Amino acid sequence: MAAALAASLLNFVLGSAGGDAANRVTFEGLSSRFTDDGALGIAIRKVEAASLRIASGPLVVEVGQLALHQVALLVRVEGGRPRIERVEAASAELSGVKVDGPLPDAAARAAVQADPCAWTLAPLAAAEGTLRAEIVDAHLLFDANVKVPIRHGGVDFNEASVEHVGPDSRMGVSRMGVYVDAPNGRSYLYQFPSTPVAGVEYERRGALLGPWAVTQRGKLQLQPFLEGLLRQGRGHGTAGLTDPARQLFDRTSVSGHVQLGDGHLTLPGVEAEMGGSSEGRNTVRLHSKAVGRELTVEIAGLSVRNVVARVGALKGRCREVAGDVTLRVFVEGTQLRLAVTVPALKLSALHLG
């Protein structure tokens, strides 16, 4: 009786979970028993699913293939309806995952801003890489090739280069923001809301006047700088960008790579430990034909441990996640959207509930 009830409950839950009619799910090795307090415990040796499609408002999630191993569920029936109280699985493999939807609106961003602990970006402290940009017919810099090295988690603007016809320009950071000293004068790309700003070592000036007075162009330490902006709610959208910079970015292509370090990562609703940098894992590659309109971020060899995620009252955890992930942020009409593609992903020791 318990096994038949378990099968009926699983069919009911799957049918009412908001999935598409094309969803296909199969079970192997199903067994069940009632607990002392009347809940139904269900054990399944293997769960396989194909062509899953789940929509929640404007957010759409598609999964090509899903396999769960050694699954355990605890189900309670309340008011004639089943409620899954806990789900555990020894491991899971996913492939063909696609997520598409709009980025959070201003109200959601304000809620994140209210939580000062929502951002910890320790893997940036040891980041290594290089960012390159090509600016076509730019009014600020002429046609230009920009190179920004990232060393030991920071940007030293003395090492950044802006090459173009005629005398080259220089980038730097002052108390007002990040700037470019071009032959036609100084222009600001990003203006700080206030000073001092965490993670910034401002330019130093000598006795001369004009751009020749700058003896040190300044430095940015990525972890404290970006954490500070995100906690102020300025890491979303284009807050702080000047109008000339917005126009410039529509004509700017970007490429580059950043090898992230190891350490604790906290994002809104998610905590994890990144590791494996010595093996080349968690390498981020960026590319865009027009960074003002779209940006693609590829994470090769994603490797995170001790993942804890919260969505409302729901909490999940996972011992390890490994795979490759591609994120694309783009403008569609007046809306900023996010598309996530995951060719293959492996998870171990899942717990939900």
Side-chain angles (χ1 to χ4, degrees):
M1 175 180 176
L5 178 59
S8 299
L9 288 175
L10 287 172
N11 288 331
F12 178 85
V13 171
L14 290 170
S16 60
D20 189 270
N23 296 347
R24 301 192 302 274
V25 183
T26 60
F27 307 96
E28 292 182 10
L30 187 150
S31 62
S32 61
R33 65 178 181 84
F34 286 105
T35 63
D36 293 339
D37 60 355
L40 178 63
I42 303 174
I44 310 171
R45 185 171 64 251
K46 186 177 182 180
V47 178
E48 290 186 309
S51 303
L52 293 176
R53 186 180 188 276
I54 301 173
S56 177
L59 182 69
V60 177
V61 180
E62 297 180 1
V63 180
Q65 298 284 337
L66 167 66
L68 297 169
H69 304 276
Q70 303 301 324
V71 181
L73 300 92
L74 187 66
V75 181
R76 296 187 184 277
V77 178
E78 299 174 346
R81 297 180 62 86
R83 178 178 64 85
I84 298 179
E85 184 174 283
R86 185 173 68 244
V87 180
E88 295 179 345
S91 62
E93 295 98 35
L94 299 90
S95 62
V97 179
K98 297 180 181 179
V99 181
D100 183 84
L103 284 178
D105 58 17
R109 295 197 297 269
V112 171
Q113 179 181 349
D115 181 4
C117 300
W119 301 96
T120 303
L121 308 176
L124 287 176
E128 299 280 340
T130 302
L131 301 180
R132 293 179 172 84
E134 182 178 351
I135 305 168
V136 179
D137 192 25
H139 296 298
L140 291 179
L141 309 176
F142 315 106
D143 292 351
N145 292 306
V146 181
K147 180 180 178 181
V148 180
I150 298 173
R151 301 289 180 263
H152 309 295
V155 174
D156 184 346
F157 285 106
N158 292 305
E159 299 179 1
S161 62
V162 183
E163 299 177 350
H164 48 70
V165 175
D168 290 343
S169 301
R170 299 297 303 274
M171 294 184 68
V173 56
S174 73
R175 292 186 176 276
M176 289 184 61
V178 179
Y179 65 79
V180 174
D181 275 340
N184 61 343
R186 175 170 291 190
S187 298
Y188 279 88
L189 301 177
Y190 188 93
Q191 292 183 324
F192 297 146
S194 60
T195 55
V197 177
V200 179
E201 181 180 319
Y202 301 111
E203 67 176 11
R204 298 178 185 175
R205 306 179 70 88
L208 298 176
L209 299 177
W212 302 276
V214 180
T215 58
Q216 297 290 329
R217 291 286 171 178
K219 300 178 181 180
L220 290 180
Q221 289 301 125
L222 295 179
Q223 181 187 354
F225 177 67
L226 291 177
E227 286 178 354
L229 292 183
L230 290 165
R231 288 169 182 168
Q232 294 173 28
R234 296 176 67 89
H236 302 274
T238 56
L241 291 177
T242 62
D243 288 338
R246 296 170 196 264
Q247 299 173 18
L248 186 72
F249 288 167
D250 284 341
R251 301 189 300 273
T252 301
S253 62
V254 171
S255 64
H257 72 280
V258 179
Q259 172 64 64
L260 297 176
D262 301 335
H264 193 71
L265 184 69
T266 304
L267 308 176
V270 179
E271 294 184 46
E273 295 287 337
M274 299 195 82
S277 62
S278 61
E279 302 170 357
R281 298 187 180 276
N282 298 318
T283 299
V284 178
R285 301 190 182 279
L286 305 94
H287 56 88
S288 171
K289 293 182 179 180
V291 73
R293 303 295 300 174
E294 57 88 21
L295 176 66
T296 299
V297 180
E298 300 174 354
I299 307 176
L302 174 70
S303 179
V304 293
R305 293 177 175 270
N306 303 323
V307 181
V308 178
R310 297 176 179 84
V311 180
L314 191 63
K315 179 180 178 180
R317 63 177 184 267
C318 179
R319 185 173 61 202
E320 186 173 7
V321 179
D324 298 328
V325 179
T326 299
L327 302 93
R328 181 172 177 260
V329 180
F330 60 98
V331 177
E332 187 176 85
T334 59
Q335 192 175 56
L336 198 60
R337 298 184 64 85
L338 173 67
V340 181
T341 304
V342 183
L345 197 69
K346 293 184 178 181
L347 306 92
S348 65
L350 289 83
H351 179 100
L352 183 65

